[in-house]
């Protein structure tokens, strides 16, 4: 992959990025401009040289205001009690991480926090056999199940993309045959979160091998204020040699009450499975 993949999330100018939703397909974005005299900074621009990498990748963050301070964190959301580290220049990342960032200036309100994810490829799955039941929705079918093992990372622009598989079912079942045994202790799932477009992360992931449950992880509900983000969901398994996995993913079968689609089936978007 050459050049930089630009991950642009957040506010456009001084406007808020919102979206209109419908009951079955992810919605399109519209720009609505703030009418208050207290302005919020636009979110920073996160640049990743290679979202999927084998050795290292370069992280750069650009502010929306030339005098603003960029604060960021790795693998932990930024909170009031943990405001993150001050960004002072490009950073090389050598492992999979979730990155969070916002900008601050004394004359403005802090920007919203934006995030993205990077993924280190420790084992290529391009030759693995994979099947998925039920299949992805025809509108978001990518290149079929192989989209999850082809080492092609999707962006937040999910429409008309062959990188993403979109599911609107309560449960997704994945059969994965690695073709040869590998010493592993972790499986990662690369997902898109875009709650205004009714796209949520998994609620629960179960991993089986040879009929035995290896791990079950429950994930918290996304905050209603989050914008589009790329996110990794990591499931640890007992360190051992494995060849075959059965993976069951529970989706958001009832969108929570804070969302205008409350009670409806949510979407799950996946673009890669990685093993470590």
């Amino acid at each position: 992959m050459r050049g930089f993949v630009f991950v642009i999330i957040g506010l456009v100018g001084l406007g808020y990025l919102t979206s209109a939703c419908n009951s079955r397909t992810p919605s399109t974005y519209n720009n609505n401009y703030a009418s208050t005299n207290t302005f919020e900074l636009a979110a920073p621009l996160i640049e990743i040289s290679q979202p999927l990498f084998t050795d290292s990748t370069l992280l750069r963050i650009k502010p929306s205001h030339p005098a603003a301070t960029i604060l960021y964190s790795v693998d932990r959301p930024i909170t009031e009690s943990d405001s993150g580290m001050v960004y002072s220049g490009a950073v090389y990342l050598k492992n999979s991480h979730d990155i969070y960032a916002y900008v601050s200036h004394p004359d403005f309100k802090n920007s919203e926090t934006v995030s993205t994810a990077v993924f280190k490829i420790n084992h290529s799955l391009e030759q693995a056999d994979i099947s998925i039941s039920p299949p992805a929705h025809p509108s978001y079918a990518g290149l079929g199940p192989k989209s999850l093992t082809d080492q092609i990372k999707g962006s937040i622009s999910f429409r008309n993309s062959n990188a993403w598989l979109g599911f609107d079912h309560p449960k997704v079942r994945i059969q994965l045959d690695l073709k040869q045994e590998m010493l592993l202790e972790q499986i990662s799932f690369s997902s898109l979160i875009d709650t205004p477009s009714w796209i949520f992360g998994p609620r629960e992931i179960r991993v089986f091998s040879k009929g035995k449950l290896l791990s079950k992880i429950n994930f918290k509900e996304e905050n209603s204020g989050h914008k589009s983000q790329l996110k990794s969901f990591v499931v640890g398994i007992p360190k051992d040699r494995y060849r075959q996995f059965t993976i069951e993913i529970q989706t958001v079968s009832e969108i929570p009450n804070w969302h205008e689609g409350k009670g409806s089936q949510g979407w799950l978007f996946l673009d890669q499975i990685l093993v470590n």
Side-chain angles (χ1 to χ4, degrees):
M1 184 179 298
R2 298 179 179 177
F4 282 88
V5 174
F6 294 90
V7 183
I8 306 175
I9 319 169
L11 302 179
V12 179
L14 296 175
Y16 291 97
L17 186 64
T18 61
S19 66
C21 302
N22 60 46
S23 61
R24 296 302 296 164
T25 59
S27 62
T28 56
Y29 288 122
N30 296 301
N31 289 332
N32 295 312
Y33 291 92
S35 58
T36 176
N37 291 324
T38 303
F39 293 117
E40 180 178 294
L41 288 166
L45 170 65
I46 301 177
E47 297 178 350
I48 304 295
S49 61
Q50 294 180 327
L52 291 172
F53 60 95
T54 56
D55 178 61
S56 64
T57 190
L58 189 64
L59 163 69
R60 288 178 175 154
I61 309 175
K62 293 184 176 180
S64 56
H65 187 289
T69 299
I70 302 172
L71 295 110
Y72 78 107
S73 64
V74 177
D75 292 335
R76 67 182 191 276
I78 296 172
T79 64
E80 290 184 4
S81 60
D82 180 5
S83 58
M85 304 173 286
V86 175
Y87 174 83
S88 59
V91 179
Y92 278 99
L93 304 173
K94 293 184 175 293
N95 293 293
S96 299
H97 295 292
D98 289 320
I99 311 298
Y100 301 84
Y102 71 96
V103 290
S104 178
H105 188 285
D107 296 334
F108 301 96
K109 293 173 62 178
N110 290 346
S111 77
E112 68 170 332
T113 297
V114 293
S115 68
T116 192
V118 297
F119 300 86
K120 183 173 183 178
I121 301 172
N122 294 291
H123 301 282
S124 173
L125 298 183
E126 288 188 286
Q127 303 304 315
D129 286 336
I130 183 170
S131 62
I132 305 175
S133 177
H137 190 279
S139 298
Y140 307 101
L143 298 176
K146 281 291 186 179
S147 294
L148 299 187
T149 58
D150 61 5
Q151 299 184 19
I152 298 176
K153 186 76 187 74
S155 72
I156 60 171
S157 300
F158 59 87
R159 293 173 182 82
N160 302 316
S161 169
N162 287 328
W164 289 106
L165 298 183
F167 303 90
D168 60 345
H169 296 278
K171 180 188 289 187
V172 177
R173 185 182 179 94
I174 300 171
Q175 299 284 355
L176 183 64
D177 186 339
L178 306 178
K179 294 291 190 156
Q180 60 182 2
E181 286 192 344
M182 298 180 184
L183 182 63
L184 303 173
E185 59 183 348
Q186 194 177 83
I187 302 179
S188 300
F189 303 83
S190 172
S191 180
L192 172 67
I193 308 296
D194 189 343
T195 56
S197 297
W198 301 42
I199 302 173
F200 297 79
R203 280 294 166 267
E204 180 183 274
I205 299 178
R206 297 185 183 189
V207 178
F208 300 82
S209 184
K210 297 180 180 178
K212 179 182 177 181
L213 177 64
L214 302 178
S215 185
K216 181 180 77 170
I217 303 291
N218 292 299
F219 298 96
K220 294 181 179 180
E221 174 183 304
E222 288 82 18
N223 186 294
S224 61
H226 281 183
K227 303 298 181 181
S228 302
Q229 59 179 306
L230 305 176
K231 188 173 179 62
S232 61
F233 292 88
V234 180
V235 179
I237 58 176
K239 189 173 183 177
D240 205 342
R241 300 191 68 83
Y242 300 97
R243 172 174 169 168
Q244 296 177 325
F245 293 104
T246 298
I247 300 159
E248 294 181 353
I249 302 177
Q250 300 282 350
T251 70
V252 175
S253 58
E254 291 188 9
I255 292 176
N257 289 335
W258 53 258
H259 195 282
E260 66 176 295
K262 62 182 180 181
S264 301
Q265 171 67 51
W267 286 84
L268 172 73
F269 271 55
L270 300 174
D271 69 341
Q272 288 296 297
I273 295 177
L274 301 173
V275 296
N276 180 23

